[in-house]
């Protein structure tokens, strides 16, 4: 399926918005843990969306007008996030890992991605 430039811009923006949730502890507490709206989201949904769309974006990053520098930051974050999720050490529920040093590293890396893309949540 061929995406239009507008489609690609939308897909990338949605991916960055997902990453903004990964980098925002207050959002995680409010939405993932307490289930307060108006957003409807949880950690598992975030992970699935991140890899489903993110891998496609990385594989076709030039089509999304992503620079080499942005690609490298995004790829490093993706690899670290995958390692965090695949690890046997990770507690299952966000309330169990949200205050760990490992999760702090993931949140900081997410913020670096957003900075590289000059992303501002709307």
């Amino acid at each position: 399926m061929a995406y239009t430039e507008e489609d690609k811009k939308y897909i990338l923006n949605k991916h960055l918005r997902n990453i903004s949730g990964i980098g925002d502890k207050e959002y995680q507490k409010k939405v993932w843990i307490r289930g307060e709206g108006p957003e409807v989201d949880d950690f598992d949904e975030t992970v699935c969306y991140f890899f489903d769309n993110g891998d496609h974006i990385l594989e076709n990053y030039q089509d999304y007008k992503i620079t080499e520098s942005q690609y490298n930051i995004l790829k490093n974050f993706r690899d670290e996030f995958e390692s965090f999720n695949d690890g046997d050490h990770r507690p299952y529920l966000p309330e169990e890992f949200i205050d760990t040093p490992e999760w702090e590293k993931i949140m900081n890396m997410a913020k670096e991605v957003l900075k590289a893309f000059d992303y501002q949540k709307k």
Side-chain angles (χ1 to χ4, degrees):
M1 177 175 164
Y3 292 114
T4 66
E5 291 304 312
E6 188 174 317
D7 291 338
K8 288 183 256 187
K9 185 176 178 182
Y10 175 82
I11 291 166
L12 179 59
N13 189 60
K14 194 154 171 72
H15 187 58
L16 293 171
R17 185 171 49 209
N18 192 39
I19 293 171
S20 76
I22 296 168
D24 184 344
K25 187 182 259 189
E26 291 310 310
Y27 172 86
Q28 296 159 19
K29 288 178 180 179
K30 176 185 170 199
V31 179
W32 294 354
I33 295 173
R34 295 191 306 264
E36 299 171 358
E39 302 89 353
V40 178
D41 188 15
D42 63 34
F43 180 72
D44 290 337
E45 188 174 315
T46 296
V47 171
C48 290
Y49 183 83
F50 177 84
F51 289 108
D52 287 350
N53 290 310
D55 287 350
H56 168 78
I57 291 168
L58 283 171
E59 290 166 8
N60 302 284
Y61 75 96
Q62 292 165 324
D63 294 343
Y64 287 84
K65 299 189 177 16
I66 293 173
T67 67
E68 286 288 326
S69 174
Q70 290 170 324
Y71 169 83
N72 289 327
I73 290 170
L74 189 57
K75 175 82 168 75
N76 288 338
F77 174 66
R78 185 240 179 261
D79 293 346
E80 194 69 32
F81 192 48
E82 179 180 47
S83 177
F84 176 84
N85 283 294
D86 287 345
D88 293 333
H89 66 281
R90 179 179 74 82
Y92 181 71
L93 299 172
E95 52 267 35
E96 297 171 352
F97 65 75
I98 196 168
D99 291 320
T100 65
E102 295 84 6
W103 186 246
E104 184 72 29
K105 180 179 180 182
I106 296 295
M107 289 190 300
N108 287 335
M109 290 182 79
K111 291 172 189 169
E112 288 300 314
V113 169
L114 300 176
K115 185 177 175 183
F117 282 84
D118 196 28
Y119 177 82
Q120 300 293 319
K121 189 173 178 182
K122 297 172 185 159

